[in-house]
Amino acid sequence: MTVPSDEVTGPWWDGTRQARLLLQRCTACGGLQHYPRALCTACGSMDLGFTESSGRGVVDSFTVVHRSADPAVAVPYVVARVRLDEGPILLTNLVGDGEWACGRRVRVAWRPLADGRRLPVFERE
């Protein structure tokens, strides 16, 4: 799988190489956001940097996929919204055996990519 990187997302992807989950922080208003963008979603500033997340949060919604659009992808798998303790929401996968529930505490884990980068997934805390 090849995941593109550009001048806006490059620092975020570089952080994944060291298993660091980064959030974009606006230096004008202090707002945090994920995914990386060219503008702050709170104030419109272009003065953005990155800060490290705790990697902890809570599942606020999820679904179990039983039929994949790609036959090469094993099913079932869980797609979820995870609200990080810092506030931003990630659309991600939940990994690990057992049942899931909204409100469950989770922590970041990492799925390696062929080029050395990693995708953040979440497991039970």
Side-chain angles (χ1 to χ4, degrees):
M1 177 169 137
T2 303
V3 180
S5 176
D6 59 28
E7 64 187 28
V8 174
T9 63
W12 186 85
W13 283 112
D14 290 344
T16 71
R17 292 179 188 276
Q18 292 87 41
R20 295 176 59 223
L21 181 58
L22 301 179
L23 300 174
Q24 218 172 18
R25 178 183 297 278
C26 177
T27 56
C29 74
L32 291 171
Q33 62 190 31
H34 180 81
Y35 56 89
R37 300 166 176 94
L39 298 170
C40 173
T41 58
C43 74
S45 173
M46 295 177 66
D47 193 8
L48 300 163
F50 287 89
T51 187
E52 192 164 358
S53 166
S54 69
R56 289 181 155 64
V58 65
V59 174
D60 72 4
S61 181
F62 73 96
T63 188
V64 180
V65 178
H66 292 279
R67 185 181 300 172
S68 175
D70 180 351
V73 176
V75 292
Y77 61 90
V78 182
V79 177
R81 279 178 27 133
V82 170
R83 183 174 301 276
L84 296 173
D85 289 348
E86 295 87 357
I89 296 171
L90 276 73
L91 185 61
T92 186
N93 291 118
L94 301 178
V95 297
D97 295 331
E99 292 190 25
W100 289 98
C102 291
R104 179 174 290 281
R105 296 283 307 162
V106 291
R107 66 175 170 244
V108 72
W110 297 95
R111 180 176 296 151
L113 299 175
D115 65 1
R117 297 180 294 173
R118 300 172 184 156
L119 287 176
V121 296
F122 286 79
E123 62 189 10
R124 287 173 183 78
E125 200 170 57

Short mmCIF file of all heavy atoms in Angstrom, two decimals, residues 13-50:
data_model
loop_
_atom_site.label_atom_id
_atom_site.label_comp_id
_atom_site.label_asym_id
_atom_site.label_seq_id
_atom_site.Cartn_x
_atom_site.Cartn_y
_atom_site.Cartn_z
N TRP A 13 3.54 12.06 8.77
CA TRP A 13 4.01 10.73 8.35
C TRP A 13 5.40 10.44 8.89
O TRP A 13 5.69 9.30 9.27
CB TRP A 13 3.99 10.62 6.83
CG TRP A 13 2.61 10.39 6.28
CD1 TRP A 13 1.87 11.26 5.52
CD2 TRP A 13 1.80 9.23 6.47
NE1 TRP A 13 0.65 10.70 5.24
CE2 TRP A 13 0.59 9.46 5.80
CE3 TRP A 13 1.98 8.02 7.14
CZ2 TRP A 13 -0.44 8.52 5.77
CZ3 TRP A 13 0.97 7.08 7.12
CH2 TRP A 13 -0.23 7.33 6.44
N ASP A 14 6.28 11.44 8.94
CA ASP A 14 7.61 11.23 9.51
C ASP A 14 7.51 10.81 10.97
O ASP A 14 8.27 9.95 11.42
CB ASP A 14 8.47 12.50 9.37
CG ASP A 14 8.85 12.79 7.93
OD1 ASP A 14 8.75 11.89 7.07
OD2 ASP A 14 9.25 13.94 7.65
N GLY A 15 6.57 11.38 11.71
CA GLY A 15 6.37 11.00 13.11
C GLY A 15 5.97 9.55 13.26
O GLY A 15 6.36 8.88 14.22
N THR A 16 5.21 9.03 12.29
CA THR A 16 4.78 7.63 12.39
C THR A 16 5.96 6.67 12.29
O THR A 16 5.89 5.56 12.80
CB THR A 16 3.73 7.26 11.32
OG1 THR A 16 4.34 7.20 10.03
CG2 THR A 16 2.55 8.22 11.34
N ARG A 17 7.03 7.09 11.65
CA ARG A 17 8.21 6.22 11.54
C ARG A 17 8.81 5.93 12.92
O ARG A 17 9.42 4.89 13.13
CB ARG A 17 9.27 6.86 10.65
CG ARG A 17 8.87 6.95 9.20
CD ARG A 17 9.97 7.62 8.37
NE ARG A 17 9.51 7.86 7.03
CZ ARG A 17 9.52 6.97 6.04
NH1 ARG A 17 9.96 5.75 6.26
NH2 ARG A 17 9.08 7.29 4.84
N GLN A 18 8.62 6.85 13.88
CA GLN A 18 9.10 6.66 15.25
C GLN A 18 7.94 6.29 16.20
O GLN A 18 8.08 6.41 17.42
CB GLN A 18 9.78 7.93 15.78
CG GLN A 18 11.08 8.28 15.11
CD GLN A 18 10.86 9.12 13.86
OE1 GLN A 18 10.03 10.02 13.84
NE2 GLN A 18 11.61 8.83 12.80
N ALA A 19 6.82 5.86 15.63
CA ALA A 19 5.63 5.51 16.42
C ALA A 19 5.20 6.68 17.32
O ALA A 19 4.88 6.51 18.48
CB ALA A 19 5.86 4.24 17.24
N ARG A 20 5.20 7.88 16.73
CA ARG A 20 4.74 9.08 17.43
C ARG A 20 3.47 9.57 16.75
O ARG A 20 3.48 9.86 15.55
CB ARG A 20 5.81 10.17 17.37
CG ARG A 20 7.09 9.81 18.11
CD ARG A 20 8.18 10.87 17.95
NE ARG A 20 7.71 12.16 18.45
CZ ARG A 20 7.92 13.32 17.82
NH1 ARG A 20 8.60 13.36 16.69
NH2 ARG A 20 7.49 14.44 18.35
N LEU A 21 2.39 9.65 17.51
CA LEU A 21 1.12 10.15 16.98
C LEU A 21 1.10 11.66 17.18
O LEU A 21 1.03 12.15 18.30
CB LEU A 21 -0.06 9.49 17.70
CG LEU A 21 -1.45 9.91 17.22
CD1 LEU A 21 -1.63 9.63 15.73
CD2 LEU A 21 -2.51 9.19 18.04
N LEU A 22 1.19 12.39 16.08
CA LEU A 22 1.25 13.85 16.13
C LEU A 22 -0.10 14.47 15.79
O LEU A 22 -0.84 13.95 14.97
CB LEU A 22 2.30 14.36 15.15
CG LEU A 22 3.73 13.87 15.36
CD1 LEU A 22 4.66 14.44 14.29
CD2 LEU A 22 4.22 14.25 16.76
N LEU A 23 -0.38 15.58 16.45
CA LEU A 23 -1.55 16.39 16.16
C LEU A 23 -1.07 17.75 15.68
O LEU A 23 -0.03 18.25 16.12
CB LEU A 23 -2.40 16.58 17.42
CG LEU A 23 -2.94 15.31 18.06
CD1 LEU A 23 -3.63 15.65 19.38
CD2 LEU A 23 -3.89 14.60 17.11
N GLN A 24 -1.81 18.34 14.79
CA GLN A 24 -1.47 19.68 14.34
C GLN A 24 -1.97 20.68 15.37
O GLN A 24 -3.09 20.58 15.86
CB GLN A 24 -2.14 19.94 12.99
CG GLN A 24 -1.31 20.72 12.04
CD GLN A 24 -1.92 20.79 10.66
OE1 GLN A 24 -3.11 20.55 10.46
NE2 GLN A 24 -1.10 21.12 9.69
N ARG A 25 -1.10 21.65 15.74
CA ARG A 25 -1.47 22.69 16.70
C ARG A 25 -1.32 24.06 16.02
O ARG A 25 -0.31 24.37 15.41
CB ARG A 25 -0.58 22.66 17.94
CG ARG A 25 -0.92 23.78 18.95
CD ARG A 25 -0.01 23.81 20.15
NE ARG A 25 -0.08 22.62 20.96
CZ ARG A 25 -1.01 22.38 21.89
NH1 ARG A 25 -1.97 23.25 22.11
NH2 ARG A 25 -0.97 21.28 22.60
N CYS A 26 -2.37 24.87 16.17
CA CYS A 26 -2.33 26.23 15.65
C CYS A 26 -1.61 27.12 16.65
O CYS A 26 -2.00 27.16 17.83
CB CYS A 26 -3.76 26.73 15.42
SG CYS A 26 -3.84 28.44 14.85
N THR A 27 -0.59 27.83 16.20
CA THR A 27 0.14 28.70 17.12
C THR A 27 -0.61 30.02 17.34
O THR A 27 -0.32 30.73 18.30
CB THR A 27 1.57 28.97 16.63
OG1 THR A 27 1.52 29.51 15.32
CG2 THR A 27 2.39 27.69 16.60
N ALA A 28 -1.60 30.32 16.49
CA ALA A 28 -2.38 31.55 16.68
C ALA A 28 -3.45 31.38 17.75
O ALA A 28 -3.61 32.24 18.62
CB ALA A 28 -3.02 31.96 15.35
N CYS A 29 -4.20 30.27 17.71
CA CYS A 29 -5.32 30.11 18.66
C CYS A 29 -5.13 28.92 19.61
O CYS A 29 -5.92 28.76 20.54
CB CYS A 29 -6.64 29.96 17.91
SG CYS A 29 -6.88 28.36 17.10
N GLY A 30 -4.12 28.08 19.38
CA GLY A 30 -3.88 26.93 20.24
C GLY A 30 -4.71 25.71 19.93
O GLY A 30 -4.61 24.69 20.59
N GLY A 31 -5.58 25.79 18.91
CA GLY A 31 -6.44 24.67 18.55
C GLY A 31 -5.65 23.47 18.06
O GLY A 31 -4.58 23.60 17.46
N LEU A 32 -6.18 22.29 18.35
CA LEU A 32 -5.59 21.03 17.88
C LEU A 32 -6.49 20.44 16.82
O LEU A 32 -7.72 20.53 16.92
CB LEU A 32 -5.47 20.03 19.04
CG LEU A 32 -4.46 20.36 20.12
CD1 LEU A 32 -4.61 19.41 21.29
CD2 LEU A 32 -3.05 20.29 19.56
N GLN A 33 -5.89 19.82 15.81
CA GLN A 33 -6.68 19.18 14.77
C GLN A 33 -5.96 17.96 14.20
O GLN A 33 -4.75 17.85 14.28
CB GLN A 33 -7.02 20.17 13.65
CG GLN A 33 -5.82 20.73 12.92
CD GLN A 33 -6.19 21.88 11.99
OE1 GLN A 33 -7.14 22.63 12.25
NE2 GLN A 33 -5.45 22.02 10.91
N HIS A 34 -6.77 17.06 13.68
CA HIS A 34 -6.28 15.91 12.93
C HIS A 34 -7.35 15.63 11.90
O HIS A 34 -8.54 15.69 12.19
CB HIS A 34 -6.10 14.67 13.81
CG HIS A 34 -5.61 13.51 13.00
ND1 HIS A 34 -4.29 13.35 12.68
CD2 HIS A 34 -6.26 12.49 12.41
CE1 HIS A 34 -4.16 12.27 11.94
NE2 HIS A 34 -5.35 11.73 11.77
N TYR A 35 -7.00 15.43 10.77
CA TYR A 35 -5.83 15.18 9.98
C TYR A 35 -5.13 16.50 9.67
O TYR A 35 -5.75 17.55 9.76
CB TYR A 35 -6.22 14.44 8.67
CG TYR A 35 -7.26 15.18 7.86
CD1 TYR A 35 -6.87 16.11 6.90
CD2 TYR A 35 -8.62 14.99 8.07
CE1 TYR A 35 -7.80 16.80 6.15
CE2 TYR A 35 -9.55 15.68 7.33
CZ TYR A 35 -9.13 16.57 6.38
OH TYR A 35 -10.06 17.28 5.67
N PRO A 36 -3.84 16.46 9.29
CA PRO A 36 -3.13 17.70 8.97
C PRO A 36 -3.75 18.44 7.78
O PRO A 36 -4.12 17.82 6.78
CB PRO A 36 -1.72 17.22 8.62
CG PRO A 36 -1.60 15.89 9.28
CD PRO A 36 -2.97 15.28 9.24
N ARG A 37 -3.86 19.75 7.94
CA ARG A 37 -4.42 20.61 6.90
C ARG A 37 -3.54 21.85 6.75
O ARG A 37 -2.75 22.15 7.62
CB ARG A 37 -5.83 21.05 7.29
CG ARG A 37 -6.82 19.92 7.47
CD ARG A 37 -8.06 20.48 8.18
NE ARG A 37 -9.13 19.54 8.33
CZ ARG A 37 -9.32 18.79 9.42
NH1 ARG A 37 -8.49 18.85 10.42
NH2 ARG A 37 -10.33 17.97 9.48
N ALA A 38 -3.76 22.60 5.69
CA ALA A 38 -2.99 23.82 5.44
C ALA A 38 -3.48 24.98 6.30
O ALA A 38 -2.73 25.93 6.54
CB ALA A 38 -3.06 24.20 3.97
N LEU A 39 -4.74 24.92 6.78
CA LEU A 39 -5.34 25.98 7.58
C LEU A 39 -5.88 25.42 8.88
O LEU A 39 -6.36 24.29 8.94
CB LEU A 39 -6.51 26.62 6.84
CG LEU A 39 -6.23 27.32 5.52
CD1 LEU A 39 -7.54 27.68 4.84
CD2 LEU A 39 -5.40 28.56 5.76
N CYS A 40 -5.88 26.25 9.91
CA CYS A 40 -6.52 25.90 11.18
C CYS A 40 -8.03 25.88 10.97
O CYS A 40 -8.60 26.84 10.43
CB CYS A 40 -6.15 26.91 12.25
SG CYS A 40 -7.04 26.69 13.81
N THR A 41 -8.68 24.81 11.41
CA THR A 41 -10.13 24.71 11.25
C THR A 41 -10.88 25.61 12.24
O THR A 41 -12.07 25.86 12.06
CB THR A 41 -10.61 23.26 11.41
OG1 THR A 41 -10.21 22.77 12.70
CG2 THR A 41 -10.03 22.37 10.32
N ALA A 42 -10.20 26.09 13.27
CA ALA A 42 -10.84 26.95 14.27
C ALA A 42 -10.77 28.43 13.88
O ALA A 42 -11.76 29.14 14.01
CB ALA A 42 -10.23 26.74 15.64
N CYS A 43 -9.59 28.88 13.41
CA CYS A 43 -9.43 30.32 13.17
C CYS A 43 -8.96 30.69 11.76
O CYS A 43 -8.90 31.86 11.43
CB CYS A 43 -8.48 30.92 14.21
SG CYS A 43 -6.73 30.51 13.95
N GLY A 44 -8.59 29.70 10.96
CA GLY A 44 -8.16 29.97 9.59
C GLY A 44 -6.69 30.33 9.45
O GLY A 44 -6.22 30.57 8.34
N SER A 45 -5.94 30.35 10.54
CA SER A 45 -4.52 30.68 10.49
C SER A 45 -3.76 29.61 9.71
O SER A 45 -4.12 28.44 9.71
CB SER A 45 -3.95 30.78 11.90
OG SER A 45 -2.54 30.94 11.85
N MET A 46 -2.67 30.04 9.08
CA MET A 46 -1.77 29.10 8.40
C MET A 46 -0.53 28.83 9.24
O MET A 46 0.38 28.15 8.80
CB MET A 46 -1.38 29.65 7.02
CG MET A 46 -2.57 29.75 6.08
SD MET A 46 -2.17 30.46 4.49
CE MET A 46 -1.09 29.21 3.82
N ASP A 47 -0.50 29.36 10.45
CA ASP A 47 0.64 29.21 11.35
C ASP A 47 0.44 27.95 12.21
O ASP A 47 -0.06 28.02 13.32
CB ASP A 47 0.77 30.45 12.22
CG ASP A 47 2.11 30.52 12.95
OD1 ASP A 47 2.99 29.68 12.65
OD2 ASP A 47 2.25 31.39 13.81
N LEU A 48 0.82 26.81 11.65
CA LEU A 48 0.58 25.52 12.27
C LEU A 48 1.86 24.76 12.53
O LEU A 48 2.81 24.85 11.75
CB LEU A 48 -0.33 24.66 11.38
CG LEU A 48 -1.71 25.25 11.08
CD1 LEU A 48 -2.34 24.56 9.89
CD2 LEU A 48 -2.60 25.14 12.30
N GLY A 49 1.88 24.01 13.61
CA GLY A 49 2.98 23.12 13.94
C GLY A 49 2.42 21.79 14.39
O GLY A 49 1.23 21.52 14.22
N PHE A 50 3.27 20.96 14.98
CA PHE A 50 2.84 19.64 15.45
C PHE A 50 3.22 19.44 16.90
O PHE A 50 4.23 19.96 17.36
CB PHE A 50 3.46 18.54 14.59
CG PHE A 50 2.86 18.44 13.22
CD1 PHE A 50 3.38 19.18 12.17
CD2 PHE A 50 1.77 17.63 12.98
CE1 PHE A 50 2.83 19.10 10.90
CE2 PHE A 50 1.20 17.55 11.73
CZ PHE A 50 1.73 18.28 10.68
#
